[in-house]
Amino acid sequence: MGRRFFGTDGIRGRTNQGVMTAATAMKVGQAAGRHFLRGDHRHRVVIGKDTRLSGYMMESALVAGFTSVGMDVIMTGPLPTPAIALLTREMRADLGVMISASHNPFEDNGIKLFGPDGFKLSDADELAIEAMLDQELPLAEASQIGRARRIDDARGRYIHAIKQTVSNEIRFDGLKVVVDCANGAAYQVAPSAIWELGAKVIPIGVEPNGTNINREVGSTSLDAIKAKVVETGADIGIALDGDADRLIVVDEKGETVDGDQIMALIALRLHDKNALKGGGIVATVMSNLGLERCLQGHGLTLERAKVGDRYVLEKMRAGGFNVGGEQSGHMILLDHATTGDGTIAAMRVLASLVRSGKRASEMLHQFDPVPQLLKNVRYDGGTPLDDAQVKQAIADAESELTGRGRLVIRPSGTEPVIRVMAEGDDEGQVERVVDSICDAVRAAT
């Protein structure tokens, strides 16, 4: 059975259109609730959300769905995605739900589901839930309808968990840190956790109004944090996305430090302590060749997965790795969390900054990136990658880059876009092969 609702990261779409309606959300609550009704105990689900205006609507619809099939609901209010994964496990819940479209604009929303172990659902579970969305599901008897309640201490629980990832002897005293929360789910917890460990925190993106999440702030819009770091003379900037599962760092010069450099830093620190598991890390096909060469220089491997943190996580669990992530900023540290957690990754970076005594620009420059170019080509319809001329352009590019670089061609999973990425030591060659493929795709559409 094909997927109609679930994508690479739950269900996502434009609010009040397509799959992202209150009616669908209620049906998802009923289907997921029925799927996880296992045993005779009183079942419960934890529901969190980010700061989107539509979160109220989606939350209410999900609550109606879950309670109608007999599940009790615990609502946390705005919290990062990894916090919901944590609370699902710690509260012995049968299921966790995060209402968020991550780094997307406020008009979009999404539903992410976590199992009782705090990990995102397997393909099998998602397909089973999808199959139930077209069925008339049995509802609970009147006396067995679920109850719903809000808990007030969810933020404090998560802040405590974040701080526990930093050794007791480490304090952030003397650090001036700009923390950009993208007007999203971490707007209270991230600045508080970093401040409680002693840093002087300069928060931005902490005034959500329902429609400004990710707007000109956060990990996908770095101009604001770069300017604030330089203006205030901060030691470092921490930029999260709307649901705080991504981290991008800005050094004291206002320069961007992407996920590849952050993964290299964390992995090599753990390797020095003999605490890196799996003999390396897991990243995606988009991570820079420079990262791979850096790790090889230390006798470590870079395992590549498809784009999407769920695929990174699958490979991590299968291979016994404890560090993985994406160039875009998803950081999965399995010693501390079951999913990407930008704030925990930020804690690791800040702790390393304290230990090293170096400037952020020096400490975070772990390798020289290989020239890399990514271009997106939008198309109107059809399957341009099946076109003979496009196939020939790709084959020619692969031949030209053999032994000198890499080529990655992939269609977007959420929009009609072909992503063309190449990297290699010759920047001119990289640009030439990317343009040749993009031109062929455009000609085919």
Side-chain angles (χ1 to χ4, degrees), residues 9-12 48-52 77-85 97-105 108-114 120 158 162 180-187 189-190 205 213-214 217-220 239-247 309 326 328-331 339-344:
D9 196 16
I11 304 170
R12 189 178 299 185
K49 60 182 180 179
D50 63 22
T51 56
R52 292 164 211 271
L79 270 184
T81 290
I84 302 308
V97 181
M98 179 65 183
I99 306 167
S100 176
S102 189
H103 58 283
N104 286 26
D108 295 344
N109 216 330
I111 301 171
K112 303 180 185 184
L113 301 176
F114 296 93
K120 291 179 181 177
Y158 181 58
I162 294 170
D180 181 351
C181 298
N183 290 318
Y187 78 101
V189 293
I213 187 171
N214 299 314
V217 285
S219 64
T220 54
L240 306 172
D241 69 337
D243 70 334
D245 63 355
R246 292 191 188 198
L247 167 69
D309 62 321
E326 296 188 273
S328 60
H330 281 119
M331 297 290 120
T339 189
D341 193 319
T343 312
I344 285 179

Side-chain angles (χ1 to χ4, degrees), residues 70-81:
M71 264 202 173
D72 291 339
V73 176
I74 299 169
M75 294 172 286
T76 70
L79 270 184
T81 290

Side-chain angles (χ1 to χ4, degrees), residues 151-370:
I151 57 173
D152 298 325
D153 64 344
R155 288 195 300 270
R157 293 185 189 208
Y158 181 58
I159 289 171
H160 176 73
I162 294 170
K163 290 162 55 182
Q164 292 298 107
T165 66
V166 178
S167 299
N168 289 334
E169 71 273 11
I170 293 292
R171 295 183 57 88
F172 298 160
D173 295 17
L175 285 184
K176 184 187 290 187
V177 185
V178 178
V179 181
D180 181 351
C181 298
N183 290 318
Y187 78 101
Q188 293 174 314
V189 293
S192 295
I194 294 170
W195 172 80
E196 287 185 18
L197 289 181
K200 179 179 180 181
V201 173
I202 303 165
I204 63 174
V206 291
E207 298 179 349
N209 63 14
T211 63
N212 63 357
I213 187 171
N214 299 314
R215 187 197 300 162
E216 298 180 353
V217 285
S219 64
T220 54
S221 186
L222 296 170
D223 288 348
I225 190 171
K226 288 181 175 182
K228 184 63 71 173
V229 167
V230 173
E231 170 197 331
T232 60
D235 298 293
I236 195 169
I238 301 299
L240 306 172
D241 69 337
D243 70 334
D245 63 355
R246 292 191 188 198
L247 167 69
I248 296 293
V249 172
V250 173
D251 69 22
E252 82 282 358
K253 298 177 181 178
E255 298 297 322
T256 302
V257 180
D258 68 13
D260 285 348
Q261 296 281 4
I262 298 168
M263 281 189 285
L265 170 70
I266 293 173
L268 293 179
R269 294 280 175 169
L270 288 174
H271 180 56
D272 288 343
K273 298 190 295 183
N274 294 316
L276 185 67
K277 300 173 185 175
I281 70 172
V282 179
T284 75
V285 294
M286 302 303 289
S287 277
N288 194 274
L289 186 59
L291 172 61
E292 187 171 344
R293 292 173 176 175
C294 171
L295 293 170
Q296 287 173 347
H298 292 268
L300 302 173
T301 62
L302 174 63
E303 297 289 328
R304 293 187 183 270
K306 291 191 297 183
V307 172
D309 62 321
R310 69 178 293 154
Y311 302 115
V312 173
L313 182 57
E314 285 173 2
K315 187 156 283 195
M316 289 176 68
R317 297 181 76 183
F321 296 88
N322 60 343
V323 175
E326 296 188 273
Q327 188 182 63
S328 60
H330 281 119
M331 297 290 120
I332 305 175
L333 307 178
L334 280 183
D335 290 339
H336 305 294
T338 55
T339 189
D341 193 319
T343 312
I344 285 179
M347 290 293 196
R348 306 309 313 148
V349 171
L350 293 173
S352 294
L353 191 61
V354 170
R355 285 194 177 97
S356 72
K358 298 178 180 178
R359 304 287 283 175
S361 57
E362 181 183 2
M363 181 196 72
L364 288 163
H365 186 81
Q366 295 291 316
F367 63 89
D368 292 326
V370 169

